[in-house]
Amino acid sequence: MKSGHIILFLFISHLSLAWQQPVWIAFRKDPVFVKAPTFSLLRIRDERSLRSHLGTVLASSKSGSPVRSNDQVGDVFTDLLRSGFRPDSSRVPIIIRVREFVFSEKVKNDSQAEGVCRLELAFDVMRDGNPVLLTTYTARTIYTRSFSQTDRLELVGRKALESAVQYLSNWIKINRDKSPALVKGIKFVLIDHSVQQASGDTVFYSPLRPLSWDDFQAEPRLGSRNAATIFPTFSYEGHSRWVNGYIRLELTFKTFMVKSMSWVRPGSKTDYGLLHEQKHFDIVKLIVERFKQRIVSDDAMDLDDYNSRVQFLYLEAYRDMNRWQEQYDSETQHGLNQAEQERWNRKIAQDLKNAEDLTAIMIANRQ
C-alpha cells in the first residue's frame, strides 16, 4: 500500500507538470488616468512573498497554467501611473504597497472560464521621514473569458488598478481636511478687504480713505443728545484648501461702516467731531488686528473643527469691540472732554500701529 501511494503521487505530479506552460501578461504602456487626481505617486513597493507568481488560470476545462508578468509588478504599476500622477503642490505624495495581485479561475462551461482578479493595496504618506498608513484597498474583479483569450487578463488587471487609484483619489478628496495623516497643520493667509464700491452703502476701512461727513447719510435720531453717530463693525469670510500637507486657511477681514445707519446733525460737521467718529472706526480696525492675532496664536485651534474655533474667537472680538467703544465714549464724554479725547487719539493711534506690526510678525513666524 505504501508503494502504491508513491506511484500515484508521481503519476499526478507528472500530469500536472505536463500542463504547466505559463501564461505571460504583457501590460500595455498606455498610462492609467483618473479625473482630477488628488495624489501624486512617490513610489511603489511590491510586498508579495511570491513576486513572480500572479495566480493560476485555466488553459482548458481540464488543465491550468501559472500566470506570469513580462515585467516586475512594481515596475509595471509605476509605468502605468507615473504620467497621470505627477508631483503637484495640490496633490498628496503617496507610497503604494502591493499586498496581493492574483488571478484565479474556475470552469464556467466547455469553452469559458470564470475568473477573479484580487488586488490588495496599502497607501502610505510620509511623516517625519517615516511612512504612515493612510488607507487600504481590497477588491475582487470578476470576469469571464474564453480559454484562448488570455489577453483579457491584461485588461482586467489594468481595470483593477484603475479602480484602486480612483478609490484613493476620491478618498483623499473626502478626507483631506480630516485625516491627521494628511494634515501637518494650518497655515493662515489673512487678507484685509479695502476695495471701495463706486456707489454703495459701505465704506471699507483703509488708511488711504479717511471718513468724510458725506459718509453719514442717515437722518439724525430723535431723542439722541449726540451730535453724530457712526455705525462701524467688522466681519470675516473664509475658505480653506489643502496645499503641500497643510490646511491653507484664507480669511478675508472686512472692517466697515454703514452710511445709511450713520448720521450727523446739521451744524455739527466739524473737523474735531469727524476725528472723534474716525477714532470709533479705528477702534474696530484695532480689534480686527487683535482678532487676527488670536487666530494665529490660538492653542485650541483644532484641525477637525477650526471653523467653529474661528467663529468663537470672532464673537469674543465682537464683544471686545463693544466694550472699547463704550469705554471710549464714556471717558471722552462723546468727544466733549477734549483732554481725554486727545489722550484717546494718541492711544488708539499707537495701539493700532503696534497691533499691525505684531500681526505681521506673528504671521511671518508661522510661515
Side-chain angles (χ1 to χ4, degrees):
M1 292 294 293
K2 184 176 181 181
S3 176
H5 278 292
I6 294 174
I7 294 172
L8 180 61
F9 175 77
L10 293 175
F11 180 66
I12 292 173
S13 297
H14 177 72
L15 286 176
S16 177
L17 288 173
W19 297 100
Q20 284 187 356
Q21 295 299 318
V23 173
W24 293 92
I25 301 179
F27 282 88
R28 293 178 289 114
K29 299 299 183 182
D30 301 340
V32 170
F33 292 100
V34 299
K35 186 177 180 180
T38 57
F39 72 93
S40 61
L41 179 63
L42 195 57
R43 60 180 174 271
I44 293 180
R45 290 169 46 194
D46 189 352
E47 295 184 339
R48 297 172 305 128
S49 57
L50 300 175
R51 295 186 181 181
S52 62
H53 180 65
L54 296 181
T56 303
V57 296
L58 296 175
S60 71
S61 61
K62 297 181 179 179
S63 61
S65 298
V67 185
R68 301 285 187 268
S69 171
N70 285 353
D71 299 295
Q72 294 293 325
V73 168
D75 296 336
V76 169
F77 283 7
T78 299
D79 290 341
L80 293 177
L81 299 180
R82 183 186 291 114
S83 297
F85 301 89
R86 296 183 182 279
D88 186 284
S89 63
S90 65
R91 298 178 183 178
V92 181
I94 293 292
I95 299 171
I96 299 178
R97 291 184 285 123
V98 184
R99 290 177 169 177
E100 187 175 26
F101 180 48
V102 64
F103 293 87
S104 62
E105 292 183 346
K106 64 181 180 179
V107 176
K108 183 174 184 180
N109 52 48
D110 289 342
S111 61
Q112 289 184 313
E114 184 176 82
V116 173
C117 174
R118 181 179 171 86
L119 178 64
E120 181 179 348
L121 303 177
F123 304 107
D124 297 340
V125 292
M126 295 297 294
R127 285 292 174 267
D128 300 322
N130 298 308
V132 175
L133 177 63
L134 191 61
T135 186
T136 59
Y137 174 86
T138 302
R140 298 168 70 251
T141 304
I142 300 174
Y143 63 92
T144 299
R145 68 174 185 90
S146 64
F147 294 128
S148 61
Q149 196 181 15
T150 55
D151 57 344
R152 184 165 175 76
L153 299 176
E154 188 272 345
L155 177 61
V156 171
R158 175 184 291 270
K159 287 296 183 182
L161 180 61
E162 182 179 331
S163 297
V165 295
Q166 183 66 72
Y167 162 82
L168 177 61
S169 193
N170 293 341
W171 190 94
I172 290 174
K173 183 178 181 180
I174 294 170
N175 294 280
R176 180 151 52 186
D177 297 347
K178 306 173 186 177
S179 171
L182 286 176
V183 181
K184 301 176 185 176
I186 301 176
K187 288 190 175 182
F188 299 97
V189 178
L190 309 182
I191 304 168
D192 283 313
H193 179 93
S194 60
V195 178
Q196 306 295 338
Q197 299 172 337
S199 61
D201 192 36
T202 302
V203 176
F204 291 102
Y205 188 94
S206 171
L208 303 178
R209 203 290 194 188
L211 295 176
S212 72
W213 285 123
D214 291 338
D215 299 323
F216 295 72
Q217 298 180 359
E219 291 295 324
R221 184 176 301 173
L222 295 176
S224 174
R225 297 181 179 180
N226 296 334
T229 293
I230 184 175
F231 188 87
T233 189
F234 71 100
S235 65
Y236 76 94
E237 298 174 356
H239 69 273
S240 62
R241 60 193 180 96
W242 189 98
V243 179
N244 288 333
Y246 288 88
I247 296 296
R248 179 184 171 94
L249 182 57
E250 295 186 2
L251 297 172
T252 300
F253 300 87
K254 295 181 178 180
T255 306
F256 59 96
M257 63 87 71
V258 182
K259 297 178 183 180
S260 62
M261 299 180 70
S262 305
W263 53 268
V264 59
R265 295 190 187 282
S268 298
K269 297 181 180 180
T270 65
D271 290 344
Y272 178 86
L274 183 60
L275 181 59
H276 176 83
E277 303 306 324
Q278 178 68 56
K279 291 305 173 183
H280 274 296
F281 206 10
D282 292 349
I283 285 173
V284 181
K285 183 63 168 67
L286 170 60
I287 294 298
V288 169
E289 291 302 314
R290 292 182 174 178
F291 175 36
K292 295 176 187 177
Q293 294 164 17
R294 286 177 175 177
I295 293 172
V296 173
S297 63
D298 186 64
D299 292 333
M301 191 68 67
D302 192 340
L303 288 171
D304 293 330
D305 199 19
Y306 51 84
N307 286 324
S308 296
R309 186 61 187 171
V310 173
Q311 181 66 18
F312 171 78
L313 296 177
Y314 168 76
L315 294 175
E316 283 196 332
Y318 202 90
R319 286 190 286 267
D320 285 348
M321 177 190 70
N322 290 334
R323 284 194 291 267
W324 269 71
Q325 300 288 22
E326 291 171 3
Q327 183 181 357
Y328 171 57
D329 267 339
S330 175
E331 294 185 9
T332 64
Q333 297 177 303
H334 296 275
L336 296 177
N337 187 327
Q338 294 188 15
E340 277 299 301
Q341 183 66 55
E342 287 297 323
R343 185 180 73 82
W344 270 92
N345 289 348
R346 293 190 298 271
K347 172 180 172 56
I348 293 170
Q350 188 62 55
D351 285 359
L352 179 55
K353 181 182 183 304
N354 292 343
E356 290 175 332
D357 291 345
L358 180 58
T359 300
I361 292 171
M362 292 176 68
I363 294 174
N365 290 339
R366 285 286 301 238
Q367 301 307 315

